[in-house]
Amino acid sequence: MIRRTGRYALRELAADNPRLVGFQGVPTFVHDEGWVLRGEWTPAAGTPRTVRVDGALPGLVHDLPLAGTAVLDHPTGTHSLLLTGDPTAPVLLFTDAQSTWQTPAWRTVPASVTGDVVEIDFSRAVNLPAGFSAHATCPRPPRGNHLPFVVSAGERRVEVTAR
């Protein structure tokens, strides 16, 4: 039994599921230090705030704690992104120019914050459960958390099939 966005659901786990039995691991890109991006960090000000995002399944919405804003430097320009979670250990939910082709529709990656500097190592980007199941309830990235370039770092797409 799980509870997501105020609703209850029952997850059935079957140890003999062919996708589980045949699972060979998550494919990844080769690690590349060039995918460590740095930029300016601005923590969310004032009382705790949230950002409302859609869920993986239609009709689900999530209110995520807003940690702050990262403005990352990249050869294509600067990109402003909302990070969620704890301001001392924020995470980035994002899409990029290859989402759904080589990577799932969206991924998440932890950020490191030191003072007003944020560092994100995209080689640590991972798939959420929605990257493995058509029935996941994961939060989608906040609107605007799209990187208009290919992020060929971190975990790759795993084929998802409905059961």
Side-chain angles (χ1 to χ4, degrees), residues 10-98:
L10 186 61
R11 274 205 180 132
E12 180 182 344
L13 302 176
D16 61 344
N17 183 305
R19 291 191 66 227
L20 181 60
V21 172
F23 184 67
Q24 297 293 312
V26 178
T28 61
F29 291 95
V30 174
H31 185 268
D32 179 353
E33 288 295 325
W35 280 110
V36 178
L37 301 185
R38 291 172 185 81
E40 181 183 332
W41 170 247
T42 304
T47 58
R49 295 176 29 205
T50 60
V51 59
R52 181 162 281 193
V53 299
D54 292 329
L57 293 175
L60 287 181
V61 294
H62 298 267
D63 290 313
L64 303 177
L66 178 62
T69 304
V71 179
L72 299 180
D73 297 320
H74 184 265
T76 62
T78 58
H79 304 280
S80 182
L81 304 161
L82 297 179
L83 277 63
T84 58
D86 184 327
T88 62
V91 297
L92 171 64
L93 287 163
F94 73 98
T95 62
D96 68 272
Q98 72 179 356

